[in-house]
């Protein structure tokens, strides 16, 4: 994460990793109960440091044609307008992180995220054990769900999942026996102490797809079919999430059964579509969840109870909050990236992104870099993940 090289010169990699490390560290930290102690809109202070670093890297080190500069600037204007209409200015930082990742080693990005993520996660968990911040405990159907210093139990479980995904990228998909045991322990832990059933299933799916990747490396041709299916994972996930929510009705038994299995996510998605129409440049979407200190007080009845309304689906969240342009651009970008990777015999990242695509049906972390760093792979250098021609 050093900005200067050993010769003292400022480097593109140093600028980008410094900016990413600062932003990622803050964003991860802000998902914890420490966020209550941060000043209001502290994210703007962080962006005031991060954005100049990213802009310097992009302008001074990345070489584009005039046409490419026009596309990048047009994208920035559209993103800035969307950030304004949605009230989510953090979108500007995410856009510049994606653009700035050009020619950056995604392996280096993943290593930076893993190092900072594990250190921050450990700090948060230890702080909750020492009662420096609260471990929010939610009672559901006789089972306590622990947040361990994160603002909600499922957010804790999602951190575990996405750190495992990042670890798999750093390890190039080559899990040793102790990595398998660690992953299975993580699945058991979030099931037992967070009652996060869906994230447990997603960890198991990750292990299955890593097994598929092992078969691909060994030359088992049928396994390649799974990698090609992963190309459309994000589009399929979006279609399922939005489509099922749109057509949901409690009168349709199989949809109501699925809604119950998904903890009423279809019902809440239908309610979101009833309240908000998709806009080109997004809109302010107001939700009331049970996460954080205020949400926990509402959950326990210590404050006047507000109506619970939270959109867990990333696809619906992005569509309604950030609008059609951002949503379509993301789907096209992810699909193009996965198709390019598979054609280059870089199979691992499409398989890992397929896990995030499934996760985004039941969580809201598609554009949340503190969880999902894989959005930064779209323009990054991924050649280190390529298999030999003989593979």
């Amino acid at each position: 994460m050093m900005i200067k090289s050993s010769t003292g010169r400022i480097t593109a990699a140093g600028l980008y990793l410094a900016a990413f490390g600062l932003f990622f560290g803050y964003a991860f930290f802000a998902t914890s109960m420490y966020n209550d102690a941060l000043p209001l809109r502290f994210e703007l202070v962080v962006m005031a440091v991060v954005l100049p670093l990213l802009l310097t890297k992009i302008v001074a080190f990345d070489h584009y044609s005039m046409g490419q500069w026009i596309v990048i600037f047009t994208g920035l204007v559209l993103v800035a307008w969307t950030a304004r209409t949605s009230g989510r200015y953090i979108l500007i930082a995410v856009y510049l992180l994606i653009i700035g990742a050009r020619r950056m080693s995604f392996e280096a990005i993943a290593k930076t995220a893993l190092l900072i993520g594990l250190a921050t996660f450990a700090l948060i968990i230890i702080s909750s054990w020492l009662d420096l911040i609260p471990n929010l405990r939610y009672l559901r159907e006789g089972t306590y769900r622990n947040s361990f210093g994160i603002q909600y139990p499922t957010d804790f479980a999602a951190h575990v999942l996405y750190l495992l995904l990042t670890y798999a990228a750093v390890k190039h998909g080559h899990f040793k026996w102790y990595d398998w045991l660690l992953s299975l322990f993580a699945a058991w832990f979030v099931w037992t102490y967070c009652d996060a059933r869906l994230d447990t299933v997603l960890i198991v799916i990750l292990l299955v797809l890593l097994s598929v990747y092992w078969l691909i490396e060994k030359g088992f041709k049928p396994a390649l079919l799974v990698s090609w299916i992963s190309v459309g994972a994000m589009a399929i996930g979006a279609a399922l999430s939005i489509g099922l929510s749109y057509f949901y009705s409690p009168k349709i038994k199989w949809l109501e059964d699925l809604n119950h299995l998904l903890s009423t996510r279809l019902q809440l998605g239908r309610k979101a579509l009833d309240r908000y129409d998709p806009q080109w440049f997004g809109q302010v979407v107001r939700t009331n969840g049970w996460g954080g200190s205020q949400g926990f007080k509402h959950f326990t009845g210590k404050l006047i109870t507000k109506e619970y309304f939270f959109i867990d689906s990333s696809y619906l969240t992005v569509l309604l909050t950030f609008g059609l342009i951002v949503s379509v651009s993301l789907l096209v970008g992810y699909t193009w990236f996965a198709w390019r990777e598979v054609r280059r015999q870089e199979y691992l990242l499409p398989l890992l992104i397929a896990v995030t695509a499934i996760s985004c049906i039941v969580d809201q972390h598609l554009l949340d870099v503190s969880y999902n760093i894989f959005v930064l792979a779209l323009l990054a250098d991924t050649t280190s993940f390529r298999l030999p021609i003989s593979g």
Side-chain angles (χ1 to χ4, degrees):
M1 277 180 51
M2 296 298 293
I3 293 179
K4 293 185 178 182
S5 67
S6 58
T7 61
R9 293 191 309 111
I10 294 176
T11 65
L15 282 169
Y16 184 85
L17 291 178
F20 168 70
L22 287 171
F23 184 83
F24 179 82
Y26 157 73
F28 199 117
F29 192 75
T31 67
S32 76
M33 295 303 296
Y34 276 118
N35 189 57
D36 289 350
L38 295 177
L40 187 65
R41 306 297 285 179
F42 185 72
E43 66 189 44
L44 297 180
V45 177
V46 176
M47 288 173 62
V49 178
V50 169
L51 297 191
L53 293 174
L54 291 173
L55 288 170
T56 301
K57 189 268 181 186
I58 293 168
V59 174
F61 291 94
D62 294 342
H63 303 290
Y64 292 104
S65 66
M66 181 58 68
Q68 290 172 324
W69 278 119
I70 292 173
V71 171
I72 291 171
F73 181 73
T74 301
L76 181 58
V77 170
L78 293 175
V79 164
W81 186 259
T82 301
R84 180 179 179 275
T85 57
S86 66
R88 303 286 297 277
Y89 290 94
I90 209 78
L91 182 65
I92 299 173
V94 175
Y95 175 78
L96 290 178
L97 281 168
I98 294 172
I99 298 299
R102 180 173 181 251
R103 294 178 179 171
M104 278 297 306
S105 165
F106 184 71
E107 183 177 356
I109 295 173
K111 286 179 178 178
T112 302
L114 185 64
L115 178 63
I116 296 175
L118 287 176
T120 308
F121 207 27
L123 171 65
I124 293 167
I125 295 171
I126 292 172
S127 295
S128 73
W129 284 343
L130 296 177
D131 289 327
L132 299 177
I133 53 175
N135 167 28
L136 303 181
R137 304 184 76 214
Y138 296 79
L139 183 62
R140 181 176 73 176
E141 298 176 358
T143 300
Y144 277 105
R145 314 175 73 204
N146 297 274
S147 69
F148 298 110
I150 301 297
Q151 294 190 0
Y152 199 67
T154 53
D155 288 335
F156 177 91
H159 270 311
V160 173
L161 169 67
Y162 279 95
L163 283 173
L164 281 174
L165 285 164
T166 304
Y167 182 62
V170 169
K171 296 273 291 190
H172 286 249
H174 301 145
F175 270 21
K176 304 294 186 181
W177 64 267
Y178 48 83
D179 297 318
W180 290 90
L181 285 180
L182 175 66
S183 301
L184 291 172
F185 172 78
W188 169 82
F189 188 90
V190 298
W191 176 286
T192 303
Y193 293 101
C194 303
D195 194 28
R197 294 163 291 189
L198 296 175
D199 285 289
T200 303
V201 172
L202 286 165
I203 293 173
V204 173
I205 290 174
L206 166 62
L207 296 179
V208 171
L209 290 183
L210 287 178
S211 300
V212 170
Y213 182 68
W214 179 81
L215 291 173
I216 291 174
E217 285 190 305
K218 296 300 180 183
F220 187 65
K221 299 299 182 183
L224 290 173
L225 177 62
V226 178
S227 68
W228 279 107
I229 293 173
S230 71
V231 171
M234 199 64 69
I236 294 170
L240 284 173
S241 181
I242 297 172
L244 290 172
S245 294
Y246 180 81
F247 290 107
Y248 166 76
S249 170
K251 297 178 181 179
I252 303 176
K253 186 178 185 307
W254 72 272
L255 279 177
E256 179 58 26
D257 291 341
L258 183 60
N259 178 58
H260 179 72
L261 181 65
L262 296 176
S263 303
T264 73
R265 282 174 168 84
L266 298 185
Q267 179 185 350
L268 291 168
R270 178 66 257 182
K271 185 181 293 185
L273 290 169
D274 288 337
R275 292 185 178 182
Y276 300 96
D277 293 324
Q279 307 292 326
W280 286 106
F281 296 102
Q283 61 204 302
V284 175
V285 175
R286 304 189 186 281
T287 59
N288 297 309
W290 297 145
S293 56
Q294 289 297 106
F296 187 71
K297 289 177 182 177
H298 288 301
F299 177 81
T300 56
K302 294 180 180 178
L303 290 177
I304 297 174
T305 304
K306 292 183 179 179
E307 175 199 24
Y308 179 85
F309 173 62
F310 196 82
I311 310 172
D312 286 293
S313 165
S314 288
Y315 304 110
L316 271 174
T317 297
V318 172
L319 175 64
L320 298 179
T321 303
F322 297 121
L324 288 162
I325 292 177
V326 170
S327 296
V328 172
S329 298
L330 276 174
L331 290 180
V332 171
Y334 267 115
T335 303
W336 165 81
F337 171 79
W339 176 80
R340 186 198 71 182
E341 293 293 286
V342 171
R343 287 203 63 185
R344 290 179 175 179
Q345 294 187 322
E346 298 168 9
Y347 304 106
L348 178 62
L349 292 181
L351 292 173
L352 297 181
I353 287 174
V355 180
T356 73
I358 301 170
S359 172
C360 285
I361 296 175
V362 295
D363 69 34
Q364 71 281 11
H365 304 305
L366 177 59
L367 275 178
D368 190 341
V369 177
S370 65
Y371 293 87
N372 178 25
I373 66 164
F374 293 93
V375 68
L376 306 181
L378 301 186
L379 297 180
D381 179 5
T382 60
T383 53
S384 64
F385 295 92
R386 186 174 302 173
L387 290 182
I389 298 298
S390 59

